[in-house]
Amino acid sequence: MSENVSLSDLLLRGGLYEGITGNTPEEIYANLSKQVSLPQDMSADVFYNALCAREKVLTTAVGNGVAMPHARTPVLKRPEDECVAICYLEKPIDMGAPDGRGVYVMFVLMTCSPQSHLRTISQLARFLQKKEFRQALENHASLSEIVTLLHTL
C-alpha cells in the first residue's frame, strides 16, 4: 500500500461479500476464491493456496469474531492491485481465536510488500479497537456504511 492509499480506498477496491459458506477456514477460502475479484495475473488457486498456507502456520482470527486472512508473503506485484475484501460469513466458524469467539467477518488482505501489509494490518487493528466499528460489523454494515464510519472515527 503506498503511503497515500487509505484503508477506505483498499476496502473499496476489495469489495464486500456476504453469505460466504463453509465450516472450516479452508472451505471458506475455497468458496471465497470463486467470488472475490482478483487481479488478472492471480488465479483463484494461487489465492486459495496462499491463504491456506498462512492459516496452517497460525490462526488469522484476532478476536471479537474477526479474522484477517492473508498470505505469508506478498502475492501481488503492483501496488494498484492492493486491496482488502470484507467477507461476512453465512455462519460463524471456530478458527481458534484468542477470545474463543467464532469468526463471522473476515478482512482478506492482498498486498505487494511487507511494509504495505504491516501498514494495512495496523490501520485495521486501530479501527477494530473502536466499539462503534465492531458494532457496525456485527450489524453487517454495507461497504458504504463502513467507509463512512472510517472517515468519522
Side-chain angles (χ1 to χ4, degrees):
M1 170 170 97
S2 69
E3 295 198 34
N4 59 355
V5 177
S6 70
L7 180 59
S8 296
D9 290 336
L10 293 174
L11 291 171
L12 289 168
R13 287 181 192 172
L16 185 143
Y17 302 86
E18 295 189 61
I20 305 298
T21 60
N23 296 311
T24 65
E26 293 78 16
E27 289 176 10
I28 295 289
Y29 300 155
N31 291 325
L32 185 58
S33 68
K34 297 171 190 166
Q35 295 180 48
V36 73
S37 179
L38 297 170
Q40 283 184 322
D41 57 352
M42 180 186 291
S43 72
D45 286 341
V46 167
F47 175 74
Y48 169 78
N49 290 329
L51 293 181
C52 288
R54 169 59 183 84
E55 201 68 42
K56 285 179 183 174
V57 174
L58 184 66
T59 185
T60 58
V62 296
N64 290 310
V66 178
M68 290 193 257
H70 56 277
R72 288 184 69 192
T73 58
V75 292
L76 301 177
K77 295 180 174 95
R78 297 180 305 270
E80 60 269 19
D81 290 334
E82 291 186 320
C83 64
V84 176
I86 302 170
C87 306
Y88 289 118
L89 307 187
E90 181 180 65
K91 63 181 182 183
I93 64 167
D94 181 7
M95 290 181 65
D99 62 1
R101 187 168 173 199
V103 169
Y104 69 90
V105 64
M106 295 180 170
F107 289 89
V108 182
L109 286 72
M110 290 181 262
T111 58
C112 68
S113 74
Q115 296 83 2
S116 165
H117 175 82
L118 291 173
R119 270 194 302 272
T120 304
I121 284 185
S122 174
Q123 287 183 9
L124 267 171
R126 187 167 38 95
F127 284 110
L128 286 168
Q129 291 175 359
K130 299 183 183 294
K131 185 177 181 180
E132 300 94 335
F133 188 70
R134 292 192 314 272
Q135 285 178 328
L137 295 174
E138 288 186 22
N139 293 326
H140 288 223
S142 69
L143 182 57
S144 63
E145 290 169 331
I146 290 170
V147 168
T148 298
L149 187 58
L150 292 178
H151 292 292
T152 61
L153 292 177

